[in-house]
Amino acid sequence: MYKILICDDDAIFVKELEKLIKECNKNKRELEFTRYYSGEDLLNNLQMDRMKTCFTMEASYNREKVVLQTSDIVYFTHHKKGSIIHLNKERSREYPDAKLITPYNFKELQEMLYYVGFACPHNSYLVNMRYISAFNMHKEFLELDGKRIPAARGKTEQFSKEFTRYVKQKYRENLR
């Protein structure tokens, strides 16, 4: 199946283009069309699809590989061999004896997890914004899943923008 997105503000042009594509489909492959009549709607929808994506991450626990859902990860801290994963209260009970370590450094993690709501309020932490329950940059702290972590003054502006973007996306998704 081919999923085809067509974006144009002219509805007649969109219909004609869809018809032309169907005529060119000589192999009779299944086609699924999605129409957008504004670029803004298309971009918003693509961003929401990324936000809904469920990512997994490999880590090692007691020298064994485990696979974790990023939605269960509250934050990361630095480790000499990558980063330490800190899970939510429920999932952390499954791994009580040792640290969960992923081989990725902070820069790699930020690139991988940006679209699922992770941001860096401090050089020592990469946090999952879905777990933020208190956010006070004036007092320089965040509260995540019952834990208080520091926030750096130098990262206040950028982190605030990222958190605002995350909240807007989250509420926009809930309104649909």
Side-chain angles (χ1 to χ4, degrees):
M1 176 195 293
Y2 289 101
K3 294 184 178 189
I4 300 170
L5 305 175
I6 300 175
C7 181
D8 198 281
D9 59 351
D10 183 351
I12 295 170
F13 175 76
V14 169
K15 276 190 170 186
E16 288 175 9
L17 184 58
E18 188 175 324
K19 182 180 173 187
L20 182 64
I21 292 170
K22 285 178 183 177
E23 289 171 4
C24 292
N25 185 16
K26 294 180 181 174
N27 294 334
K28 302 296 181 206
R29 293 202 168 102
E30 189 177 347
L31 304 175
E32 180 183 312
F33 290 92
T34 306
R35 296 159 210 82
Y36 294 95
Y37 299 100
S38 85
E40 186 177 350
D41 287 345
L42 171 64
L43 290 174
N44 286 336
N45 199 5
L46 290 175
Q47 284 182 330
M48 292 313 299
D49 286 346
R50 285 188 199 146
M51 294 292 284
K52 291 177 192 172
T53 304
C54 181
F55 286 97
T56 58
M57 178 163 290
E58 277 191 8
S60 60
Y61 176 73
N62 285 335
R63 299 184 185 198
E64 289 184 28
K65 286 197 176 196
V66 295
V67 177
L68 304 165
Q69 299 288 328
T70 56
S71 59
D72 293 329
I73 298 171
V74 179
Y75 63 95
F76 294 90
T77 54
H78 289 287
H79 187 269
K80 62 185 171 190
K81 295 182 180 177
S83 300
I84 299 172
I85 298 173
H86 300 267
L87 297 174
N88 62 29
K89 290 175 186 174
E90 296 164 20
R91 287 299 306 272
S92 62
R93 291 183 193 122
E94 297 173 33
Y95 306 99
D97 302 329
K99 295 176 181 171
L100 284 160
I101 299 170
T102 186
Y104 304 106
N105 65 36
F106 267 35
K107 185 176 181 182
E108 293 168 322
L109 288 170
Q110 282 179 300
E111 291 171 7
M112 290 167 43
L113 300 172
Y114 176 79
Y115 288 108
V116 290
F118 281 78
C120 197
H122 190 282
N123 286 339
S124 299
Y125 297 92
L126 178 64
V127 303
N128 187 342
M129 292 186 280
R130 79 185 328 201
Y131 288 100
I132 295 175
S133 56
F135 173 45
N136 188 334
M137 291 309 268
H138 299 294
K139 293 186 179 176
E140 299 167 14
F141 76 85
L142 295 171
E143 197 167 299
L144 298 147
D145 201 38
K147 297 175 187 168
R148 192 178 266 200
I149 65 164
R153 275 184 246 152
K155 296 209 175 238
T156 302
E157 187 177 337
Q158 181 63 32
F159 184 78
S160 293
K161 285 179 186 176
E162 290 176 10
F163 186 62
T164 301
R165 178 193 56 82
Y166 173 79
V167 171
K168 282 181 182 177
Q169 288 287 2
K170 182 177 176 181
Y171 284 105
R172 192 177 298 153
E173 180 179 298
N174 289 340
L175 293 173
R176 291 179 183 212

